[in-house]
Amino acid sequence: MDWMDKLLYPLQWVVAWILAIFHEIFTAIGLPADAGWTWVLSIAGLTVVIRALLIPLFVYQIKSQRKMQLLQPEIQRLQAKYKGKKDQYSRQAMAEEQMNLFRDNKTSPWASCLPLLVQMPIFFSLFRVIHNMPNVADGSVGAIGGFTQQLAIQAESSSVFGISLSATFTSPGIGVKLLTGVLIVIMAATMFITQKQMMAKNMSEAAMANPMMQSQKMLLYIMPLVFGIGGIYFPLGVLFYWLVSNTWTMAQQHTVIRNMPAPGSKAEKEMLERKARKGKAPKTPEAKAAAGEPVVEEAPKKNGQRQQPVSKNRKKNKKR
């Protein structure tokens, strides 16, 4: 057992037990124990459990992103305060004030990375479990949690389209390279689309103009590239894990952006327009004008008293 196995063994033990439990469930309902798709479904079950446990962290991520949206005016004022000051003292003072602002509001510009960072140890644990499948199957390595030698033999003899779950892109065979290559491209593409969707629809113009967003934009391209290149060493079973996980992320994020968009974002405007069309929200003056409906304007206050609203048509008649 190398140092990584020792470090991740507690998580490997949990991951192996969850896999074994789902495999037992699927075989109990009649699926073949040594079928590749039975193991793929078991990996999908593991992914759903992990992502369900991460929902509180996802909620924290959404709340942090909204706080960042609301803090944009403060951040812009801070940037204006230090505009043109490039000396070391000014840059340090600006960084400290920004950190104090984030700390006082209990948020961070890196909150959007938390779900991915938390998943990494789980990902490596699953990687090691699948990587050690042949060793557990031949008895050179002991059982990992509920992942016994018998289960390892069944998993090792299973295949998807004739390809073992422990095979990687570097394994010999055209079929292996074709299947793993397609999954690697899908994994990188879904990761890119998810981050792009967040930036394009759920961030205000002020947030996008923030210089700190440049680092987020860099991650938009760097992370899919890193996972795309690293994906050639991922076992087929791990690629299925990321496929299910990224699909979950896309669906979850689409639901949140559509129904609970960030203030001032494009998604919020689209939501208000949908509600206006359904009569669930007041139409904006522009929408009323486009529909040919009378636009009522709020009359200015005089001597502290509120005047009655006057429509544009009545205003014109009074002027005449």
Side-chain angles (χ1 to χ4, degrees):
M1 182 181 291
D2 59 26
W3 67 271
M4 182 173 286
D5 282 329
K6 290 180 181 178
L7 183 65
L8 294 175
Y9 187 78
L11 268 178
Q12 288 185 49
W13 190 88
V14 173
V15 166
W17 263 113
I18 296 175
L19 273 177
I21 290 170
F22 273 106
H23 183 265
E24 183 69 23
I25 292 171
F26 289 124
T27 53
I29 62 176
L31 295 179
D34 59 351
W37 289 110
T38 304
W39 284 103
V40 169
L41 289 174
S42 301
I43 292 171
L46 165 70
T47 312
V48 170
V49 169
I50 297 302
R51 293 312 305 264
L53 292 175
L54 289 178
I55 287 177
L57 187 60
F58 178 76
V59 172
Y60 170 76
Q61 174 193 14
I62 295 299
K63 288 181 178 179
S64 295
Q65 288 173 340
R66 289 186 177 176
K67 287 179 181 178
M68 286 296 296
Q69 297 278 349
L70 296 174
L71 285 176
Q72 289 311 308
E74 294 292 333
I75 294 173
Q76 288 175 346
R77 278 194 287 271
L78 190 59
Q79 291 166 352
K81 176 181 175 182
Y82 290 96
K83 186 176 181 181
K85 299 179 181 180
K86 298 182 179 180
D87 59 282
Q88 183 66 27
Y89 175 79
S90 296
R91 284 186 292 181
Q92 184 177 349
M94 179 177 173
E96 288 177 357
E97 288 192 46
Q98 279 187 333
M99 292 305 296
N100 291 336
L101 184 64
F102 296 147
R103 186 185 64 249
D104 293 343
N105 289 274
K106 298 179 181 180
T107 187
S108 167
W110 303 105
S112 59
C113 300
L114 283 177
L116 179 61
L117 293 176
V118 172
Q119 279 193 86
M120 293 309 294
I122 299 166
F123 155 71
F124 281 116
S125 297
L126 177 61
F127 178 93
R128 298 302 293 179
V129 169
I130 295 177
H131 178 75
N132 284 323
M133 266 192 336
N135 298 328
V136 177
D138 63 22
S140 59
V141 173
I144 305 173
F147 202 75
T148 62
Q149 183 178 16
Q150 181 183 359
L151 280 179
I153 292 171
Q154 292 174 349
E156 187 63 15
S157 63
S158 67
S159 63
V160 176
F161 300 121
I163 300 166
S164 171
L165 291 175
S166 59
T168 67
F169 184 84
T170 57
S171 302
I174 299 298
V176 175
K177 289 178 171 38
L178 183 61
L179 179 58
T180 55
V182 168
L183 290 178
I184 289 169
V185 170
I186 294 174
M187 176 183 67
T190 50
M191 189 174 291
F192 177 83
I193 292 170
T194 301
Q195 293 301 315
K196 185 70 173 177
Q197 182 185 40
M198 176 66 74
M199 292 185 180
K201 284 200 167 188
N202 207 39
M203 288 191 177
S204 64
E205 293 181 2
M208 292 300 293
N210 187 349
M212 295 188 69
M213 280 303 302
Q214 296 304 316
S215 58
Q216 293 279 10
K217 290 179 181 178
M218 288 178 63
L219 287 176
L220 173 66
Y221 297 96
I222 291 175
M223 293 306 294
L225 184 63
V226 168
F227 275 83
I229 294 173
I232 64 176
Y233 301 106
F234 295 170
L236 182 61
V238 174
L239 291 176
F240 277 117
Y241 169 86
W242 277 114
L243 176 64
V244 178
S245 181
N246 288 358
T247 302
W248 174 292
T249 301
M250 288 181 66
Q252 182 175 250
Q253 185 168 275
H254 174 77
T255 302
V256 170
I257 290 176
R258 180 179 174 83
N259 298 296
M260 294 181 290
S265 65
K266 180 181 177 182
E268 184 187 47
K269 294 177 184 177
E270 292 177 352
M271 182 188 72
L272 293 175
E273 288 174 359
R274 287 195 305 271
K275 287 186 175 181
R277 287 195 296 268
K278 294 178 181 179
K280 295 181 180 180
K283 293 183 178 180
T284 62
E286 292 80 4
K288 289 184 177 181
E293 299 176 10
V295 178
V296 178
E297 295 180 344
E298 195 74 21
K301 293 181 180 180
K302 292 182 180 180
N303 301 324
Q305 298 296 320
R306 180 181 178 277
Q307 302 299 311
Q308 290 296 321
V310 181
S311 69
K312 286 187 175 180
N313 293 334
R314 288 176 63 187
K315 271 188 173 183
K316 291 179 181 178
N317 291 334
K318 283 185 177 182
K319 287 181 181 178
R320 291 174 185 172

